[in-house]
């Protein structure tokens, strides 16, 4: 079992205010260039100290033990880039011919809510809620109330801002917390979901166990889990390089295989009702197309806005621009290092997808027994 991180929420909040400022109305690049240079350097140093190319047991253990700080620093560094390039729902989706990017994103969230049976008036927990994109969509789709849990103060501020702006603050709330040691009362939620978030846990039994604890008996948990597939071989140098590239560019202490996730769910007491790798169902358009640079997959004129930022060409253009802005003193120092890590992550995500070594959407729908 990993060592749990000490809670110092007040210090976290103060650091986020220093780094990002108190104005939560700015997004994307306009928010990014106004970061505090000194605080940005602290975040860069705090994150990249763990990434030196090593994958030995001692190095991986250090990353796992520092899971909370590592994740907080990562999202302090990349949230503005994510919103700029991807939108407010930080996840991949399946894509159908003729379906626009934003439509696919919403459908992916609707599908999870449907499979889980989320309904009006349910109290639902979103574990690792990001800036609240899925919470807003699922609440509108089902009528449920959602509590978003996040260990990054900046993302909580962004999520709260969006909820109020869109008139959903009576249905949504966002709270600070560590998903390895939740502060909610036991058996207080009708349903819990996590979308590509629990991958940041150092031990899956830990986060799944906390989810089990806060669910009411008979409650349902649905998760799109990031895992390496059964085809992945930890001892294959090429495979490990791909996994490491995903880890360093996505703030993940350690990528686990599919079986690890399944075993962890069962070990904490969940009954698996549905499981399927939605990245491997024969889709004509692959989940990794927005990162690929392959124009044939663009479905609409509107998609060009996203594709030109997320494709390999767009990422290289952004990386070059960020490097220039950093040299000119417009962007905070360390920004080019962050964009380089994101660029590498995109490359390895695509390669992991092409070789079917990795999936961002291993869907599990599980239930807590009544007794």
């Amino acid at each position: 079992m990993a060592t749990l991180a000490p809670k110092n929420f007040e210090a976290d909040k103060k650091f986020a205010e220093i780094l990002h400022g108190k104005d939560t109305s700015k997004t994307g690049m306009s928010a990014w260039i106004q970061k505090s240079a000194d605080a940005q350097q602290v975040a860069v140093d705090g994150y990249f100290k763990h990434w030196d190319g090593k994958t030995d047991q001692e190095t991986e253990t250090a990353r796992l033990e520092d899971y909370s700080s590592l994740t907080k620093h990562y999202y302090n560094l990349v949230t503005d880039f994510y919103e700029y390039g991807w939108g407010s729902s930080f996840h991949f989706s399946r894509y159908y011919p003729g379906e626009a990017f934003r439509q696919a994103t919403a459908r992916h969230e609707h599908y999870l809510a449907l499979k889980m049976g989320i309904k009006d008036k349910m109290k639902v927990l979103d574990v690792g809620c990001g800036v609240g994109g899925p919470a807003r969509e699922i609440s509108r789709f089902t009528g449920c109330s959602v509590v978003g849990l996040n260990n990054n103060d900046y993302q909580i501020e962004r999520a709260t801002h969006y909820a109020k702006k869109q008139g959903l603050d009576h249905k949504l709330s966002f709270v600070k917390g560590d998903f390895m040691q939740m502060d909610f009362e036991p058996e207080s939620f009708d349903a819990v979901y996590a979308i590509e978030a629990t991958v940041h846990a150092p031990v899956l039994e830990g986060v799944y166990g906390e989810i089990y604890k806060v669910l009411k008996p008979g409650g349902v948990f649905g998760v799109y889990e990031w895992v390496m597939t059964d085809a992945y071989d930890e001892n294959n140098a090429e495979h490990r390089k791909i996994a490491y590239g995903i880890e360093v560019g996505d703030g993940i202490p350690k990528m686990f295989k599919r079986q690890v996730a399944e075993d962890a769910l069962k070990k904490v007491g969940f009954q698996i009702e549905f499981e399927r790798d939605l990245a491997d169902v024969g889709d004509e358009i692959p989940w990794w197309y927005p990162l690929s640079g392959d124009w044939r997959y663009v479905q609409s004129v509107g998609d060009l806005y996203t594709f030109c930022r997320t494709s390999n060409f767009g990422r290289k253009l952004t990386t070059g621009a960020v490097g220039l802005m950093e040299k000119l003193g417009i962007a905070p120092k360390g920004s080019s290092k962050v964009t380089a890590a994101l660029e590498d992550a995109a490359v390895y995500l695509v390669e992991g997808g092409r070789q079917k070594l990795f999936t961002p959407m291993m869907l599990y729908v599980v239930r807590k027994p009544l007794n």
Side-chain angles (χ1 to χ4, degrees), residues 148-188:
L149 178 67
N150 199 316
N151 81 333
N152 183 276
D153 293 271
Y154 181 54
Q155 290 195 340
I156 293 171
E157 291 295 325
R158 301 291 304 128
T160 302
H161 166 77
Y162 284 131
K164 185 175 182 180
K165 182 178 180 180
Q166 296 181 19
L168 290 168
D169 47 328
H170 66 297
K171 286 279 193 180
L172 306 177
S173 61
F174 301 94
V175 299
K176 170 81 171 185
D178 180 348
F179 58 24
M180 294 288 290
Q181 41 187 335
M182 296 185 192
D183 294 321
F184 303 113
E185 289 295 321
E187 301 181 0
S188 55

Side-chain angles (χ1 to χ4, degrees), residues 5 20 88 132 275 357:
H20 302 284
S88 61
E275 59 179 307
L357 300 175

Side-chain angles (χ1 to χ4, degrees), residues 336-364:
S336 56
K337 192 172 185 177
V338 175
T339 55
L342 291 174
E343 165 66 15
D344 285 346
V347 171
Y348 289 116
L349 284 165
V350 171
E351 192 56 33
R354 288 188 195 276
Q355 296 190 36
K356 296 187 177 182
L357 300 175
F358 163 77
T359 174
M361 53 187 76
M362 184 66 216
L363 173 59
Y364 292 102

Side-chain angles (χ1 to χ4, degrees), residues 18-298:
I18 294 170
L19 176 61
H20 302 284
K22 296 183 179 181
D23 185 357
T24 58
S25 64
K26 295 182 175 63
T27 62
M29 295 297 100
S30 62
W32 161 65
I33 63 175
Q34 296 184 58
K35 286 182 178 180
S36 161
D38 290 340
Q40 166 84 353
Q41 190 62 59
V42 171
V44 169
D45 292 343
Y47 181 69
F48 284 101
K49 70 180 181 181
H50 288 304
W51 306 103
D52 55 5
K54 296 179 181 178
T55 57
D56 59 273
Q57 186 66 45
E58 182 179 351
T59 304
E60 288 186 348
T61 298
R63 286 200 294 268
L64 291 166
E65 290 180 346
D66 200 31
Y67 71 93
S68 181
S69 176
L70 186 152
T71 305
K72 278 180 288 193
H73 282 315
Y74 177 76
Y75 283 109
N76 273 328
L77 293 170
V78 306
T79 293
D80 295 326
F81 288 105
Y82 275 24
E83 289 203 66
Y84 164 75
W86 205 263
S88 61
S89 289
F90 302 162
H91 63 77
F92 292 102
S93 307
R94 294 177 66 192
Y95 302 99
Y96 294 123
E99 182 182 44
F101 179 86
R102 302 297 181 203
Q103 181 182 350
T105 299
R107 180 184 47 72
H108 198 65
E109 294 160 4
H110 295 171
Y111 183 75
L112 177 63
L114 176 68
K115 296 297 290 185
M116 292 176 62
I118 295 177
K119 295 179 174 61
D120 186 22
K121 297 182 181 179
M122 276 189 172
K123 183 182 179 182
V124 180
L125 176 64
D126 180 335
V127 176
C129 62
V131 297
R136 295 190 295 276
E137 191 64 41
I138 288 174
S139 179
R140 283 187 293 240
F141 181 61
T142 66
C144 72
S145 296
V146 180
V147 177
L149 178 67
N150 199 316
N151 81 333
N152 183 276
D153 293 271
Y154 181 54
Q155 290 195 340
I156 293 171
E157 291 295 325
R158 301 291 304 128
T160 302
H161 166 77
Y162 284 131
K164 185 175 182 180
K165 182 178 180 180
Q166 296 181 19
L168 290 168
D169 47 328
H170 66 297
K171 286 279 193 180
L172 306 177
S173 61
F174 301 94
V175 299
K176 170 81 171 185
D178 180 348
F179 58 24
M180 294 288 290
Q181 41 187 335
M182 296 185 192
D183 294 321
F184 303 113
E185 289 295 321
E187 301 181 0
S188 55
F189 291 96
D190 300 298
V192 180
Y193 68 83
I195 300 179
E196 303 184 20
T198 47
V199 68
H200 294 293
V203 180
L204 290 178
E205 288 96 328
V207 63
Y208 292 164
E210 289 293 287
I211 290 167
Y212 188 92
K213 181 181 71 176
V214 302
L215 259 180
K216 295 177 181 178
V220 63
F221 170 45
V223 56
Y224 286 128
E225 191 64 86
W226 276 38
V227 289
M228 306 308 290
T229 69
D230 294 339
Y232 174 73
D233 180 359
E234 179 83 8
N235 297 314
N236 181 302
E238 180 186 1
H239 290 190
R240 188 65 191 99
K241 181 179 179 181
I242 289 171
Y244 180 82
I246 294 172
E247 290 165 356
V248 66
D250 289 289
I252 301 166
K254 170 69 176 175
M255 287 293 303
F256 298 111
K257 291 188 69 170
R258 178 203 62 80
Q259 191 64 50
V260 173
E262 181 176 328
D263 291 345
L265 288 167
K266 293 176 180 177
K267 185 175 181 179
V268 302
F270 281 117
Q271 297 173 344
I272 298 178
E273 296 185 344
F274 181 86
E275 59 179 307
R276 192 174 191 187
D277 180 4
L278 297 183
D280 190 22
V281 291
D283 287 339
E284 181 179 338
I285 301 173
W287 62 265
W288 39 262
Y289 104 79
L291 302 177
S292 68
D294 193 333
W295 292 90
R296 63 181 167 157
Y297 294 129
V298 174

